[in-house]
Amino acid sequence: MPLQTALSRIPQINRIVFLIGLAGIVAGIVGINISHDPSWIKFFDNLHWTVATASAAVLAWLGRRQISGQKRFGAIWWFAAGFAGYALGQLVWDAQVALAYSKFPSPSDFFYLWLGPCLTMGLILEIRNGVRKASQVTVLLDVLSLSVASLTLVLVLYLPMRGDLDLLSMAVLVSYPVSLLIPTCIGLIMIPAMRLRFSSGFFLFLPAVAVTAWSWMHWNLMALNGLAIDGAWFNVSFSIAILLAGLAVSVWQLEHSDAPEWDRACEGFLRMLPIITIILASGAMVVAGSRPGDPDLVEWLTYAGSVLVIMLAIVRQSRLLKERDQLLATQTEALRVGKLLESFIDTVPIRVFWKDRDLNYLGCNSLFAHDAGYTRPSELIGKNDFQMVWKDQAELYRADDYRVINSGNPKISYDEPQTLPDGCKVWVRTSKVPMWSEGNNEVIGVLGIYEDITEHKTAEEDLRVAAATFETQEAILITDSDAKIMRVNPAFQEITGYSKEEVIGQNPRILQSGRHDAAFYQAMWAALRDTGKWSGEVWDKRKNGEIYPKSMTITAVYDDNQQVSNYVAVFTDISQRKQSEQEIHQLAFYDPLTQLPNRRLLMDRLQQAMAVSARSGRHGALLFLDLDHFKIINDTRGHAMGDLLLIEVARRLQTCVREGDSVARLGGDEFVVVLEELSSRQDEAATLTELVAEKIRNKLSQPYALKEYECHTTPSIGISLFHGHLESVDDLLQHADVAMYQAKAAGRNAIRFFDPQMQTALDMRADLEADLRHALEKRQFRLYYQIQVDRLHRPLGAEVLLRWAHPERGLVFPDQFIPLAEETGLIVPIGLWVLETACTQLKAWQRDALTRDLTVAVNVSARQFHQANFVAQVQRVLLESGAPPAQLKLELTESVVLENIEDTIGKMHEIKKLGVSFSMDDFGTGYSSLSQLKRLPLDQIKIDRSFVRDIAFDSNDAAIVHATIAMSQALGLNVIAEGVETEAQREFLDHHGCHAFQGYLFSKPVPLELFEEKLKTSSMG
């Protein structure tokens, strides 16, 4: 359907022109068929000729305008010129008919003859543009050979059998068919030579020109033979053919085919063409020989044409053979180049692939095939990305491919991810370009290359990390292989104080502090040479001269030849850490007050001292010191003053020992001295130790000037000798501690050596403590009552005294377990039990007239009295028992009163408000002053038995007792004496104003039943 295709592709104006021409032809045909007048038949005959040729000329020029910007401009221009000349010739013919001009050749013939040469020129230009230069000569030979053979045959068949034509007329007559048969032959040759597809333009043009040539020849043949030609059917075929030729030019387009079958068919036709032309020429000769009446010119032209055809066939064949050789050589070279190209593509260090328009793989190199998981590139052909290991990225890849194919523009050097057969993800840098067809007028696929840039990406990431790392808080210094500084970071400048301009090009030794010797740096460089790395702590110097510690790591960097290219040092200032470590060490091993070693460090040094003793065979000694009455000083003068005293004691201790000996503070007022390397003989070691202990005792016994206060204290020193590891550290400390307590028991300010008897006593004390802890819950305690009487021996009351009825030890007296109870804190619950029992008894005595007025004196220990809830305990016991408060008397010792005197006075006042009275026990044995005594809300003073015992013959004791009685009377206090055992003692006391007594003269402490029985007996006597 060439006509329908042409009509659908041409613009509207072209279509209108074509329809006008077609309408003219139809009008002419209709007019010819309905007219009987020869003149009207001629008119309608000329009408369709004129309209058809004019429309063809207009269509050709419109086609020229449509594609004027393309390369085919030259060919279309010639086509348009030929149709315009032909249309002009038809107008001249119409004028000749009107003027009855009938000569031959006429002026119109010369315009008619423009068409053939112009078409020929245009087609030759197409050959030049569409056929490679090496083949153009061959094509022209084929055109010439076919044209001569065809013309020779046409001349024989269609030239008139008359010889009365002049040469000009014969030339014009021959030119008509020749001028159009030549472009027809050219067109026939162009089809196989250029591998043209069957398109509407060219394949409409070629038969239209052939029909036009045939119509011309038939018209000439009938005209020369005197036959009627007006209104003949071939006139109409001429008009239709010329109009279709003009239409073909308006939609002119040459399309090439790459189909292998068509290529083989075209090549076979061209190879057979010489034989075809010879057959045609031979046929012309046969026809000419069978017609003896033809003019000699025709016969001569026939033979000449046949000979020319044969000669051209020979030349063409020889050229064909030459071209074959060239083709073989070209194919060989192409094969070699192809193999070289294939080898090149296969060996380049990048991946190469190419796809068709449907994005199916046409080929690739081995690297690409390996990435896809295949062994050979041929295994990929025909597959697409969805069938590859990177199917997850297929959409991404295909989108890029379509973008390149549809735009015709390459996409260069972009990064994208790719999955490998092992599942690993890598980064590739890809470039894709369109693949064009041979004429560069159509994209037939896409060619791509890429390289694996995973290492490059990793390196970039490493560089980014390195850049960020370089800005870290750690100082970084980079040198070359000769240790010249190349680069430092801001942290380096901040730590060292040097700017980068000051250190670049310098050696790092400018930072040295001088604290490390040459051997230190030699070991550092040896480690760098052997292992490529060194780490450690270094003391360096800042720009301002300050020496500081730093933690540093130096790493050697190697090039591809394993030669050191750089050194990288990373360090941090550890001054703060060192200071913290020192503080932690100080806190962990030293007493923060005295700066002496603490218990932990003492244990370590004692272990070392014992190890040294074991190696040397010399004895060592451990001195355990405790300050006498330190608690009183600390409480009366305050903790700040007590701390000053401890500091001064520590200083004096350090002046009393040798440099290799150790002084430590265990805590409170306890100190330990370790003496090493004394003597190999125990007696000499003991003598040397005693000399040092005496020196310490004398030194610590000297007055202490603490601010405005002069303080006095003495040490109690316990000593334990050691020799090697015969004893453990804990045992050694325990032995010295036992000896120290023995010194205190000896009256304080004394020196005692440890002996086994001390340990036995200590063990017994431990057993006693274990039993004491269960005595209260086992109801083993008993209260004994010792009567208190007036000068007439009348009962005033009783002091309750605690006894321990041990199931194995028997009756245990207070002096054996009360100190232990004080130390362990058991005195608090025991004292509460005593108070509760005494008050319960007071309540019971209220029912008997004999005991109703008796008072009960209860001793209160210091620890019990200073309990925060002691007042509340007394109040609760009174309420629960119902005892009369006025008959309860609490006895306090001077030590209880002097310990935190303000707290003592406050509690005494609160208890006094309850109606309870107070008596000061053991008065005169402590250090209380009159100023303190008068502040206390006391009711009674009890003279200690130590003064009463020798009162009859010791003037000092007598004076003290007399003074105490006088003072009590002056203060308005009652006075009672304890320990009265003789009548002489009673009389002395009574004579000097003391009228209340307690002692064996009247009764020993006895159980309650015996006490009440004695009361009844004395009342009856």
Side-chain angles (χ1 to χ4, degrees):
M1 301 185 298
L3 181 58
Q4 181 179 352
T5 304
L7 288 174
S8 65
R9 294 179 57 182
I10 61 178
Q12 184 68 26
I13 183 65
N14 298 35
R15 193 180 305 175
I16 293 173
V17 172
F18 174 76
L19 292 176
I20 290 174
L22 189 60
I25 295 173
V26 172
I29 295 173
V30 172
I32 291 172
N33 287 314
I34 64 175
S35 298
H36 300 286
D37 186 350
S39 61
W40 281 103
I41 292 176
K42 182 180 288 291
F43 170 78
F44 283 113
D45 203 18
N46 289 334
L47 174 64
H48 67 75
W49 275 10
T50 302
V51 174
T53 54
S55 297
V58 173
L59 286 172
W61 282 100
L62 288 175
R64 168 186 170 276
R65 185 183 65 179
Q66 179 182 350
I67 58 173
S68 60
Q70 299 183 8
K71 294 181 180 180
R72 302 185 184 89
F73 168 75
I76 301 302
W77 189 90
W78 282 102
F79 294 161
F83 281 104
Y86 193 88
L88 183 59
Q90 184 60 39
L91 292 176
V92 173
W93 169 263
D94 291 339
Q96 290 178 176
V97 171
L99 297 174
Y101 183 81
S102 59
K103 290 186 178 180
F104 181 80
S106 66
S108 62
D109 292 326
F110 295 98
F111 289 103
Y112 287 150
L113 291 175
W114 285 5
L115 180 60
C118 287
L119 295 181
T120 300
M121 190 64 188
L123 292 176
I124 291 175
L125 288 177
E126 289 287 12
I127 292 175
R128 290 187 61 186
N129 293 330
V131 179
R132 58 189 178 88
K133 193 171 183 180
S135 301
Q136 288 178 7
V137 175
T138 303
V139 173
L140 292 178
L141 283 174
D142 290 339
V143 168
L144 183 58
S145 176
L146 181 61
S147 299
V148 172
S150 300
L151 291 176
T152 302
L153 183 60
V154 168
L155 286 175
V156 172
L157 294 176
Y158 290 98
L159 279 180
M161 302 177 188
R162 32 190 298 191
D164 56 351
L165 292 177
D166 58 83
L167 185 58
L168 178 60
S169 299
M170 181 64 71
V172 172
L173 187 63
V174 171
S175 296
Y176 274 117
V178 168
S179 64
L180 290 179
L181 284 175
I182 289 176
T184 302
C185 292
I186 294 174
L188 288 173
I189 298 301
M190 284 176 62
I191 293 174
M194 298 176 66
R195 308 302 196 266
L196 297 181
R197 290 181 179 177
F198 288 91
S199 61
S200 59
F202 182 77
F203 282 90
L204 181 63
F205 171 80
L206 191 60
V209 173
V211 171
T212 302
W214 175 80
S215 299
W216 245 348
M217 289 186 293
H218 200 68
W219 189 89
N220 285 341
L221 181 62
M222 294 185 68
L224 289 176
N225 290 326
L227 300 175
I229 57 175
D230 290 333
W233 60 269
F234 50 83
N235 291 346
V236 175
S237 67
F238 172 84
S239 296
I240 294 174
I242 201 69
L243 180 62
L244 291 177
L247 177 63
V249 172
S250 70
V251 293
W252 185 262
Q253 184 178 4
L254 298 182
E255 298 180 1
H256 302 274
S257 173
D258 295 326
E261 296 81 3
W262 179 242
D263 183 74
R264 288 193 294 271
C266 292
E267 187 64 28
F269 174 79
L270 291 176
R271 291 180 181 275
M272 292 296 296
L273 188 59
I275 298 174
I276 294 172
T277 56
I278 292 175
I279 292 173
L280 291 176
S282 300
M285 293 178 66
V286 171
V287 172
S290 64
R291 295 167 57 180
D294 286 345
D296 294 337
L297 178 60
V298 173
E299 186 177 354
W300 182 84
L301 288 174
T302 300
Y303 287 114
S306 301
V307 172
L308 180 60
V309 167
I310 294 172
M311 293 178 61
L312 289 173
I314 294 173
V315 172
R316 171 68 176 85
Q317 194 64 24
S318 63
R319 188 168 185 84
L320 183 63
L321 294 174
K322 183 178 180 181
E323 284 186 355
R324 188 192 65 178
D325 294 338
Q326 292 177 344
L327 179 61
L328 290 174
T330 302
Q331 289 176 340
T332 302
E333 180 65 17
L335 184 61
R336 187 186 68 81
V337 172
K339 288 185 176 297
L340 182 63
L341 180 61
E342 181 180 353
S343 175
F344 170 76
I345 292 175
D346 216 38
T347 55
V348 291
I350 57 175
R351 284 72 170 169
V352 184
F353 63 91
W354 51 99
K355 306 176 184 177
D356 60 20
R357 286 188 64 90
D358 297 326
L359 305 186
N360 296 315
Y361 283 98
L362 298 174
C364 66
N365 65 352
S366 296
L367 284 177
F368 183 89
H370 180 268
D371 282 357
Y374 293 95
T375 306
R376 295 183 302 277
S378 60
E379 297 179 64
L380 273 79
I381 295 176
K383 291 182 170 57
N384 57 47
D385 289 305
F386 289 109
Q387 298 170 282
M388 301 298 170
V389 294
W390 51 73
K391 56 185 177 182
D392 292 340
Q393 293 95 29
E395 290 291 350
L396 174 66
Y397 297 166
R398 291 169 68 87
D400 291 334
D401 294 339
Y402 279 126
R403 190 177 299 113
V404 170
I405 291 174
N406 294 332
S407 67
N409 297 318
K411 185 175 182 182
I412 304 299
S413 192
Y414 61 95
D415 298 345
E416 58 186 353
Q418 180 172 295
T419 303
L420 296 182
D422 59 1
C424 293
K425 295 289 182 65
V426 296
W427 280 95
V428 297
R429 181 157 293 166
T430 306
S431 294
K432 293 180 180 179
V433 297
M435 292 195 305
W436 295 91
S437 61
E438 186 175 353
N440 289 335
N441 58 355
E442 182 183 5
V443 177
I444 61 174
V446 61
L447 171 69
I449 61 172
Y450 70 81
E451 58 180 331
D452 189 338
I453 60 166
T454 304
E455 291 185 2
H456 177 69
K457 280 279 188 181
T458 304
E460 287 182 346
E461 183 64 25
D462 291 344
L463 285 176
R464 284 193 292 271
V465 173
T469 303
F470 205 69
E471 300 301 321
T472 184
Q473 296 300 313
E474 294 182 319
I476 300 177
L477 177 149
I478 302 176
T479 74
D480 59 15
S481 58
D482 296 325
K484 287 185 179 180
I485 299 175
M486 300 172 60
R487 189 177 178 187
V488 296
N489 70 341
F492 173 93
Q493 302 174 64
E494 182 179 350
I495 291 175
T496 65
Y498 287 99
S499 67
K500 63 180 181 180
E501 291 79 11
E502 292 175 309
V503 297
I504 290 178
Q506 299 290 328
N507 191 288
R509 67 172 62 96
I510 65 173
L511 305 174
Q512 291 181 4
S513 65
R515 287 198 178 187
H516 303 288
D517 55 16
F520 174 84
Y521 293 104
Q522 289 171 0
M524 175 191 294
W525 283 105
L528 281 171
R529 285 192 300 270
D530 295 341
T531 66
K533 187 175 182 179
W534 179 88
S535 295
E537 294 184 0
V538 181
W539 287 89
D540 270 357
K541 184 169 62 177
R542 307 187 206 272
K543 182 181 178 180
N544 61 9
E546 177 189 352
I547 295 176
Y548 68 101
K550 65 184 184 183
S551 176
M552 181 166 64
T553 298
I554 306 175
T555 305
V557 180
Y558 298 93
D559 58 20
D560 295 339
N561 298 321
Q562 294 303 305
Q563 299 297 316
V564 174
S565 61
N566 300 93
Y567 293 101
V568 178
V570 180
F571 63 86
T572 55
D573 185 345
I574 58 173
S575 302
Q576 192 67 36
R577 193 187 82 190
K578 283 287 186 182
Q579 182 179 351
S580 300
E581 289 176 353
Q582 180 63 29
E583 292 175 356
I584 293 172
H585 183 270
Q586 192 74 16
L587 291 173
F589 296 103
Y590 289 87
D591 173 50
L593 178 63
T594 64
Q595 304 304 311
L596 293 177
N598 60 12
R599 185 182 186 89
R600 180 182 296 175
L601 185 55
L602 170 68
M603 302 294 280
D604 181 66
R605 289 189 178 180
L606 194 53
Q607 287 278 13
Q608 295 180 15
M610 296 172 73
V612 170
S613 174
R615 289 195 300 269
S616 66
R618 292 176 176 272
H619 288 79
L622 181 70
L623 284 69
F624 201 111
L625 292 80
D626 185 89
L627 299 181
D628 299 330
H629 305 298
F630 175 76
K631 184 173 179 56
I632 297 175
I633 297 171
N634 203 29
D635 291 343
T636 57
R637 294 296 175 180
H639 291 285
M641 198 65 69
D643 289 346
L644 291 176
L645 175 61
L646 293 174
I647 293 172
E648 180 61 21
V649 169
R651 187 191 66 78
R652 293 185 185 185
L653 280 174
Q654 289 175 304
T655 64
C656 295
V657 298
R658 298 169 298 175
E659 184 176 352
D661 298 329
S662 298
V663 179
R665 181 190 177 204
L666 292 186
D669 59 342
E670 295 180 339
F671 294 86
V672 172
V673 176
V674 180
L675 303 178
E676 300 185 43
E677 297 289 279
L678 294 174
S679 175
S680 57
R681 292 176 53 186
Q682 185 175 11
D683 56 344
E684 289 183 2
T687 301
L688 292 173
T689 302
E690 187 174 15
L691 291 174
V692 175
E694 190 63 37
K695 180 180 179 181
I696 291 173
R697 190 176 69 84
N698 291 332
K699 193 78 170 179
L700 299 187
S701 298
Q702 294 177 10
Y704 295 85
L706 306 176
K707 293 186 178 180
E708 297 83 9
Y709 172 68
E710 184 177 282
C711 176
H712 295 269
T713 187
T714 56
S716 295
I717 304 174
I719 302 172
S720 179
L721 297 177
F722 62 86
H723 186 263
H725 295 287
L726 297 178
E727 298 174 282
S728 68
V729 173
D730 292 334
D731 289 342
L732 190 60
L733 279 171
Q734 184 181 12
H735 294 165
D737 187 32
V738 169
M740 185 271 293
Y741 276 106
Q742 190 68 24
K744 281 190 176 294
R748 296 183 172 85
N749 192 22
I751 300 170
R752 291 291 183 270
F753 281 84
F754 171 78
D755 60 48
Q757 292 180 356
M758 294 181 185
Q759 188 63 45
T760 301
L762 188 63
D763 293 340
M764 293 176 61
R765 182 176 180 273
D767 294 339
L768 187 64
E769 179 185 345
D771 292 341
L772 185 61
R773 291 187 179 276
H774 301 287
L776 189 61
E777 64 183 54
K778 293 181 178 181
R779 301 179 180 272
Q780 294 176 354
F781 290 116
R782 302 287 184 270
L783 283 185
Y784 276 50
Y785 295 78
Q786 187 174 29
I787 195 167
Q788 295 176 340
V789 299
D790 60 9
R791 61 188 302 181
L792 301 176
H793 291 238
R794 289 176 298 187
L796 298 174
E799 179 184 3
V800 292
L801 299 170
L802 186 64
R803 299 292 185 268
W804 180 10
H806 194 281
E808 297 175 0
R809 302 174 188 270
L811 195 63
V812 183
F813 288 88
D815 59 346
Q816 293 179 277
F817 68 87
I818 289 298
L820 182 59
E822 290 274 4
E823 292 177 17
T824 58
L826 293 172
I827 194 64
V828 175
I830 293 175
L832 179 60
W833 178 84
V834 171
L835 181 62
E836 291 174 342
T837 305
C839 288
T840 300
Q841 190 57 48
L842 268 177
K843 175 64 177 176
W845 280 349
Q846 296 303 304
R847 295 190 294 269
D848 190 341
L850 183 63
T851 59
R852 183 177 301 151
D853 298 323
L854 294 179
T855 62
V856 173
V858 178
N859 289 284
V860 179
S861 71
R863 180 168 289 192
Q864 181 184 7
F865 183 82
H866 289 293
Q867 289 290 309
N869 62 344
F870 179 69
V871 175
Q873 284 183 354
V874 173
Q875 185 177 18
R876 178 182 59 79
V877 170
L878 290 172
L879 290 173
E880 290 178 355
S881 65
Q887 291 174 251
L888 175 64
K889 181 167 55 178
L890 301 181
E891 292 192 359
L892 305 177
T893 63
E894 282 189 83
S895 61
V896 174
V897 172
L898 294 177
E899 184 179 347
N900 197 352
I901 189 168
E902 298 298 332
D903 178 66
T904 300
I905 293 173
K907 286 183 176 179
M908 289 177 69
H909 278 296
E910 290 186 43
I911 294 174
K912 287 279 287 184
K913 291 178 182 178
L914 300 176
V916 179
S917 60
F918 284 98
S919 175
M920 178 172 282
D921 194 11
D922 300 336
F923 181 78
T925 61
Y927 295 91
S928 60
S929 63
L930 289 176
S931 62
Q932 294 170 332
L933 186 64
K934 70 179 183 180
R935 295 177 61 196
L936 299 173
L938 293 170
D939 297 285
Q940 187 182 69
I941 294 294
K942 178 180 278 191
I943 301 173
D944 188 70
R945 69 177 67 249
S946 62
F947 299 120
V948 174
R949 182 174 56 248
D950 299 328
I951 194 173
F953 52 84
D954 189 329
S955 59
N956 290 329
D957 287 344
I960 291 173
V961 170
H962 179 69
T964 300
I965 295 171
M967 180 191 67
S968 300
Q969 292 174 347
L971 294 175
L973 302 177
N974 296 324
V975 64
I976 187 173
E978 68 174 357
V980 179
E981 298 178 356
T982 65
E983 186 63 29
Q985 294 170 343
R986 189 200 67 77
E987 290 179 356
F988 179 89
L989 292 169
D990 185 58
H991 177 73
H992 286 83
C994 177
H995 307 302
F997 314 100
Q998 177 183 340
Y1000 282 12
L1001 178 62
F1002 310 103
S1003 175
K1004 293 180 179 181
V1006 294
L1008 177 63
E1009 296 79 7
L1010 186 56
F1011 176 78
E1012 290 178 340
E1013 184 179 344
K1014 285 187 175 185
L1015 284 177
K1016 292 178 181 178
T1017 302
S1018 62
S1019 64
M1020 292 172 59

